[in-house]
Amino acid sequence: MKSKLIITSIILAFILSNCTYPKYLPKRDNIGVSEYGSYIKVKRTAGKKIRGELLVIDTTGINVLTNSHSKNKVVFIPIKEIRRFKLKYAKPSAYWWTIPVYSLASIGHGAFLIFSLPINLAVTVTTTTNSNSVYNYNDLTYKELKMFARFPQGIPQNIDISDIE
Amino acid sequence: MKNKKTHKWILYLLILGVVILTMETCKTHYFRSNYKDANKLLHDNKNLLTKPFLKAHLKNGDVSILRDTWKVDTRQNAVSGKGNHYDFNRKKVYEGKISIPIDSVAIFETNRSLEETENSRITGLTIMAGLDVAMGVFCLLNPKACFGSCPTFYINKHDNLHYADAEGFSSAVAPSLEYFDIDALDNQAFNEPHFSITMKNEALETHCLNHVNLMVYPVQEDERVYQTPSNTFYLCENNHPLSLAKGPEGTVTSLLVGKDIKERISLADENNMSSKEEICLEFNNVKNSGDLGLLISFRQTLMTTYIVYSALGYMGNEVGDLIAKMEMNNRMQGKLTNGLKEELGDIEVYVWNESKNSWEFQDGFYETGPIALNDQMLPLKNVNSSSEVRIKLVLNKGLWRIDYLALTNIKKEVKPIEIRTDKILNEGKTDHEALNQINTSDQYLISMPGSEYRFNFTLPKANQKYELFLYTKGYYLEWMRENWIKNKNLLKLRQLVENPAKYLRLEAKSYKIYEKTMEQEFWNTRINTDKFEYDEK
């Protein structure tokens, strides 16, 4: 039982440690001065999930600036192909490290580990997941979503979309 | 049952976590606004005490971000302020005073400050960290309380320290001190052809087990078999409950009349750890007073634990040498094991002799270990042939926890059958090597911290009720802790071995500090408040 809980917490810690965010995503206090669009993950009706910076949205679809192998690429996703999306507009504080650290602290509690480990896991996992989801939107209308794009006004005519970095 | 409660408790915590999580994720922050019209922007922000940052998205794709000093000049038809200007690829092209013609702006964007959400998370984690550290320090200073002691045995393998059914050879802290220990399991097997018990190593100790056997005796529905302190066994019947019990603190009958783990304890004398106290017992309406036995359910407080750990601490970095010397020195062994034990003494039992008008000594109970309750019986001699029996217990203050006292009628002495284990499960898998080790006299099953073995026994007959006893033989080695080494004091060790009476007198004040926190912390961290009680006397 003990070892299972410890292993679970370590796995969770690893999973959550992968929740890294792009550099352009501002911290909570810098939302107002961030020059970039928000980070968006789009699940399509078919094909791979698209994730990247929300560039622009219009009535036909959205453009996302993706980054794969250090190469930027603008991907257009037609509205009808969007199954759902999740928008993250600020970088959450990182609490994932509390899961292994607090769980390991429970080992020092000996027999009382059976109480302290579940409490520690409940508190740290809740805090981490809670914190990860605090700056998210997944129920915005497309009109509201526009406000979080780099170009809420749409792509200016003088710009070739392939030149965007 | 207890395990189900623990699971329920964990489930409630998880549900609470999910509820909090759901509440948090439901929150939306309408902090961002877009304006195509500069007048609307002015109108919406004119009454704000703190102006939001302003982002002007230009028609050419650039963006200017102005800090909270921006203003709209309606004569110039421009927005001005201090900030940064970025091109469409968001490369900074200018920093300083900016004036932007309103006509060049496609959209104005404002962002209000987000409500602070981190404080509650940080507070929660800080409280948890504080509790974790406090618990860790407590366990570091009082490892026995947190890490158990000697091999602990559980009929229900999911039980924890508070519900141990037996603990093996608590005093055998070195190979030369190896002895066998028999514990009543107080659990009568009925109809089941098999019986299993789980052994756990919950301490920072190496357990060396020579034997783990089951002792069984068949009984009828109204019969019980009890073990005496000298390990003889008696078939008994009837149970005469306690009528009155009085200790120095007053009447304690309610604590001693039922087997409910509501124990009578006392605190140690602050001037002498070996001070004695008396408890007077009265039993009314007793039948067959000629063949009576006194039943008791008892265990120790943490006083002996304190002394053992203190002794190891006094040895400091010489612990290995000193234990090795003790292994080869019978005199030292005798002093270490008997001197202190004699000074602390048994729970002495006296019966009132009406004809001699005096208390008559019978014998005593002694069993080391603070975890599992010991169920034993002492045959009484020269009891008056009346229905009223008066008994006196003389015991060391602060050393014993007594849960239950009663009288029973002895039918005859019996000899239980000893059964060897026929299967050992190690983490759920059959361990043939362990089985061979435990059933071979000159071999030892070594159990390390965290180990858990399940011993299976086949009872002689199915559909027969048996009284069960656990026979264990072996010794264990404490792991020296770094913080103990700092307490090295060979003079104090010498005093403990050579003059335990003086040691117990001089150590009383230090023990009182430990007792106050240790006992309270240990037993207050209980699972079921109905089952355990801390009575501060």
Side-chain angles (χ1 to χ4, degrees), chain B residues 182-326:
Chain B
I182 300 172
D183 290 312
L185 290 175
D186 198 30
N187 181 285
Q188 293 158 342
F190 187 56
N191 284 339
E192 297 291 333
H194 300 287
F195 176 80
S196 298
I197 194 159
T198 298
M199 180 185 77
K200 296 182 186 177
N201 183 341
E202 301 170 282
L204 287 177
E205 299 162 352
T206 301
H207 297 160
C208 306
L209 288 115
N210 190 229
H211 285 300
V212 175
N213 294 340
L214 191 68
M215 296 175 80
V216 304
Y217 191 84
V219 287
Q220 299 304 313
E221 199 54 51
D222 53 351
E223 291 176 337
R224 295 294 307 261
V225 174
Y226 296 112
Q227 163 201 12
T228 70
S230 55
N231 293 322
T232 46
F233 298 83
Y234 290 94
L235 185 66
C236 300
E237 62 182 359
N238 302 331
N239 211 306
H240 308 291
L242 182 67
S243 306
L244 181 69
K246 274 187 177 174
E249 69 273 36
T251 306
V252 287
T253 321
S254 62
L255 294 174
L256 298 172
V257 76
K259 217 169 180 182
D260 49 10
I261 323 186
K262 286 181 180 170
E263 299 165 306
R264 186 269 170 187
I265 68 157
S266 60
L267 297 179
D269 184 329
E270 61 183 345
N271 296 314
N272 190 352
M273 284 167 74
S274 66
S275 288
K276 302 291 182 277
E277 62 180 349
E278 291 181 2
I279 302 174
C280 292
L281 315 171
E282 282 181 26
F283 295 89
N284 301 328
N285 307 316
V286 177
K287 290 170 193 161
N288 306 327
S289 56
D291 56 0
L292 286 176
L294 176 67
L295 296 175
I296 187 169
S297 188
F298 71 106
R299 55 182 160 176
Q300 287 190 324
T301 62
L302 296 159
M303 186 187 275
T304 44
T305 302
Y306 173 87
I307 297 168
V308 170
Y309 279 107
S310 296
L312 289 168
Y314 299 148
M315 294 179 195
N317 56 359
E318 289 184 46
V319 65
D321 295 343
L322 289 165
I323 294 275
K325 270 183 196 165
M326 188 192 74

Side-chain angles (χ1 to χ4, degrees), chain A residues 28 31 34-35 89 95 102 108-112 120 130 133 137 147-148 150-151 153 156 163-165, chain B residues 17 21 24-25 29 32 34 55 58-59 61 88-90 114 116 118 125 128 132 135 139 146-147 527:
Chain A
R28 189 186 69 96
I31 287 173
S34 168
E35 63 273 28
Y89 54 89
Y95 291 105
Y102 279 60
H109 301 161
F112 299 123
N120 272 329
N130 208 329
S133 60
Y137 279 134
M147 290 200 287
F148 294 87
R150 189 196 287 192
F151 303 110
Q153 71 274 43
D163 292 340
I164 295 174
E165 294 168 3
Chain B
L21 182 68
E24 280 292 326
T25 48
H29 306 279
R32 181 164 288 183
N34 279 8
K55 247 189 246 182
L58 306 188
K59 287 176 180 165
F88 73 95
N89 270 329
R90 298 311 182 235
L114 289 184
E116 179 60 78
E118 297 303 317
L125 288 171
M128 281 309 295
D132 280 342
M135 193 69 196
C139 290
C146 299
F147 297 99
I527 307 141

Side-chain angles (χ1 to χ4, degrees), chain B residues 506-522:
Chain B
L506 297 178
E507 195 61 18
K509 291 252 175 335
S510 305
Y511 176 67
K512 286 300 286 182
I513 299 166
Y514 169 90
E515 180 189 49
K516 208 170 186 176
T517 54
M518 181 73 168
E519 287 280 350
Q520 226 154 357
E521 285 293 332
F522 184 48

Side-chain angles (χ1 to χ4, degrees), chain A:
Chain A
M1 176 68 179
K2 275 183 204 170
S3 54
K4 274 183 192 165
L5 280 171
I6 291 166
I7 290 164
T8 311
S9 64
I10 290 168
I11 291 168
L12 260 174
F14 272 105
I15 292 168
L16 291 166
S17 69
N18 288 326
C19 297
T20 49
Y21 301 101
K23 279 183 188 165
Y24 58 81
L25 204 57
K27 286 189 177 168
R28 189 186 69 96
D29 293 339
N30 295 329
I31 287 173
V33 291
S34 168
E35 63 273 28
Y36 293 100
S38 295
Y39 175 71
I40 193 165
K41 265 191 226 176
V42 182
K43 186 155 187 177
R44 296 184 295 174
T45 47
K48 275 185 182 175
K49 228 183 233 179
I50 302 290
R51 58 189 84 197
E53 186 194 343
L54 178 62
L55 284 183
V56 69
I57 175 165
D58 59 28
T59 49
T60 57
I62 63 174
N63 282 288
V64 177
L65 182 64
T66 61
N67 185 296
S68 172
H69 307 291
S70 303
K71 266 192 149 186
N72 288 337
K73 189 182 158 195
V74 178
V75 178
F76 176 75
I77 312 159
I79 296 280
K80 60 181 179 189
E81 284 182 20
I82 299 172
R83 183 182 284 174
R84 59 173 176 267
F85 64 82
K86 192 158 112 180
L87 185 92
K88 189 167 277 293
Y89 54 89
K91 219 178 262 181
S93 301
Y95 291 105
W96 63 267
W97 59 270
T98 59
I99 300 171
V101 169
Y102 279 60
S103 301
L104 285 172
S106 292
I107 294 170
H109 301 161
F112 299 123
L113 173 138
I114 60 156
F115 307 111
S116 67
L117 185 61
I119 294 172
N120 272 329
L121 276 176
V123 171
T124 53
V125 170
T126 307
T127 305
T128 307
T129 41
N130 208 329
S131 159
N132 281 342
S133 60
V134 77
Y135 303 125
N136 287 354
Y137 279 134
N138 52 14
D139 55 352
L140 293 175
T141 62
Y142 288 117
K143 194 181 167 194
E144 289 166 332
L145 186 63
K146 217 180 218 187
M147 290 200 287
F148 294 87
R150 189 196 287 192
F151 303 110
Q153 71 274 43
I155 295 279
Q157 285 179 345
N158 59 310
I159 297 171
D160 182 347
I161 204 157
S162 59
D163 292 340
I164 295 174
E165 294 168 3

Side-chain angles (χ1 to χ4, degrees), chain B residues 3 53 65 84-85 89 121 155 188 201 224 240 252 382 457 460 482 508:
Chain B
N3 210 47
F53 293 134
I65 301 173
N84 300 333
H85 186 87
N89 270 329
R121 275 185 274 278
I155 294 170
Q188 293 158 342
N201 183 341
R224 295 294 307 261
H240 308 291
V252 287
N382 303 329
F457 300 91
E482 204 178 330

